[in-house]
Amino acid sequence: MRIPTLRDRVLQMVVKNALEPRFAAECEAPSDGFRPGRCCQDAIEEVYVALNNGAVGHHQYILDADIQGAFDHIRQDFILQRIGPRPGRELVKQWLPAGYWECGTRHHTTEGTPQGGVVSPLLANIALDGRAKRLGKGSRVARYADDIVVMAKRLPAIEQACPVVTAFRQDRGLALPPEKTRIVQRTEGFDFLGFHVQLRGQKLLITPQQQKVQALLQEVRAWVKTHATVTAAVVSHHLHPLIRGWAMYYRHVVSKHTFQQVDYHIWRALWRWVKRRHPKQPKRWLYRRYFEVGKYGATF
């Protein structure tokens, strides 16, 4: 087996461009993952519209489910069946069992989509589409890639949705892990796509998930701690795009308090970094040198 080349990636892009317009038009509305012009915020908007008190006949119960290893375990014959006799099917049929190389060893694949392939997200979306049609009108679905929440006005509707979702995934060779599947009320709250959704009082609040906040802070602290000898310009060059990208992702929800918290802890991490670089300098000198706009300019 030869290693994939640029030609292989171009072929995958050609097949993707041939199949995507058809399936993008056929995909159900709540499917936001890996579609042109769609993003995680669209899926979060679906959740907000369904659960907010201002919505007509707002939903109260949520089935929070997560697919275990979706990209690794989707049935390949099911993907080919969904594609049908469309152009590019024979190429996809060759790519699916092609396997991958790791540390000089070839690993065969009998299930799942190509690892890191250009066409992989589209194939996964083709396989995972169609859940809302099975659930019917009594439930509302928000899905991004393999993350899904099902919302309903009454508990029996959610309880009936659970076996439907399980059967849907089994048809595609996917498991529904019990530890990652639960039924909650909107007052209890749940996590979805890195956001925490919860009704507090009469307001539905969507905030950054605390685990994601802590993960960002741990990443920043670890990097700063292990790069004690680099210049302030290097620190700034590394941290600015990381923090900016994280903030851009969460800027559309209730994030003011979280942003203030993150700002403070990152400042503390940088202050400790500065003190380690200049252990004998007074605090006023450190502040003017690295944080105050003046003779040296604002370094951070």
Side-chain angles (χ1 to χ4, degrees):
M1 176 185 175
R2 60 187 179 85
I3 299 176
T5 62
L6 179 61
R7 178 178 178 274
D8 298 314
R9 297 185 67 84
V10 170
L11 278 176
Q12 288 195 25
M13 181 59 71
V14 170
V15 172
K16 178 177 180 291
N17 290 337
L19 295 176
E20 192 170 57
R22 175 68 180 270
F23 282 102
E26 293 179 354
C27 279
E28 54 198 13
S31 176
D32 293 307
F34 311 126
R35 294 178 64 185
R38 301 292 186 95
C39 62
C40 294
Q41 281 69 21
D42 293 309
I44 288 296
E45 184 179 2
E46 290 277 352
V47 173
Y48 181 81
V49 170
L51 301 179
N52 185 35
N53 275 335
V56 178
H58 52 260
H59 298 64
Q60 299 189 43
Y61 296 93
I62 301 99
L63 172 63
D64 183 15
D66 188 18
I67 303 176
Q68 188 172 14
F71 290 91
D72 299 329
H73 301 295
I74 295 177
R75 283 175 46 197
Q76 296 179 353
D77 59 334
F78 185 85
I79 295 175
L80 295 174
Q81 178 185 347
R82 286 294 310 274
I83 294 176
R86 294 181 175 87
R89 184 182 187 278
E90 290 304 314
L91 285 173
V92 173
K93 187 176 181 180
Q94 297 176 34
W95 292 332
L96 289 175
Y100 62 96
W101 288 88
E102 184 178 15
C103 299
T105 303
R106 179 187 176 186
H107 299 266
H108 296 272
T109 52
T110 58
E111 57 184 8
T113 58
Q115 301 291 321
V118 175
V119 76
S120 298
L122 174 63
L123 298 180
N125 210 31
I126 290 173
L128 295 173
D129 184 59
R131 188 182 288 104
K133 297 176 184 177
R134 290 199 183 186
L135 292 171
K137 297 181 179 180
S139 303
R140 186 159 184 166
V141 179
R143 180 178 75 84
Y144 188 90
D146 56 349
D147 291 326
I148 177 177
V149 291
V150 182
M151 299 157 285
K153 301 175 185 177
R154 297 177 178 83
L155 182 59
I158 283 294
E159 292 175 340
Q160 294 172 8
C162 192
V164 174
V165 173
T166 302
F168 176 87
R169 296 182 177 185
Q170 287 177 346
D171 291 344
R172 290 149 176 79
L174 303 174
L176 192 66
E179 66 276 7
K180 292 188 177 181
T181 305
R182 62 190 186 119
I183 297 176
V184 298
Q185 295 189 46
R186 57 182 183 160
T187 53
E188 300 175 58
F190 63 97
D191 296 326
F192 182 54
L193 299 178
F195 299 89
H196 182 74
V197 184
Q198 186 175 6
L199 183 71
R200 300 176 185 175
Q202 294 300 316
K203 293 184 178 180
L204 183 74
L205 298 182
I206 302 178
T207 57
Q209 185 180 342
Q210 276 302 307
Q211 290 88 331
K212 302 299 182 182
V213 175
Q214 294 304 319
L216 172 69
L217 294 177
Q218 289 175 6
E219 181 179 356
V220 171
R221 289 166 181 157
W223 192 91
V224 170
K225 188 175 182 179
T226 55
H227 293 77
T229 60
V230 299
T231 64
V234 173
V235 176
S236 179
H237 181 75
H238 177 82
L239 294 185
H240 278 188
L242 172 66
I243 298 170
R244 187 185 302 113
W246 190 89
M248 291 289 287
Y249 184 77
Y250 289 108
R251 64 176 177 159
H252 297 293
V253 297
V254 184
S255 305
K256 179 180 178 181
H257 176 73
T258 302
F259 285 174
Q260 291 174 341
Q261 175 189 5
V262 169
D263 182 68
Y264 170 76
H265 287 289
I266 291 178
W267 184 88
R268 292 294 301 176
L270 294 175
W271 182 251
R272 287 191 294 267
W273 179 84
V274 167
K275 289 176 67 177
R276 285 195 297 267
R277 285 180 64 87
H278 308 282
K280 297 181 180 181
Q281 294 291 348
K283 294 181 180 179
R284 184 181 296 273
W285 185 92
L286 297 176
Y287 182 79
R288 288 180 175 176
R289 176 65 178 82
Y290 288 96
F291 298 95
E292 187 180 62
V293 178
K295 178 179 178 182
Y296 300 101
T299 304
F300 294 121

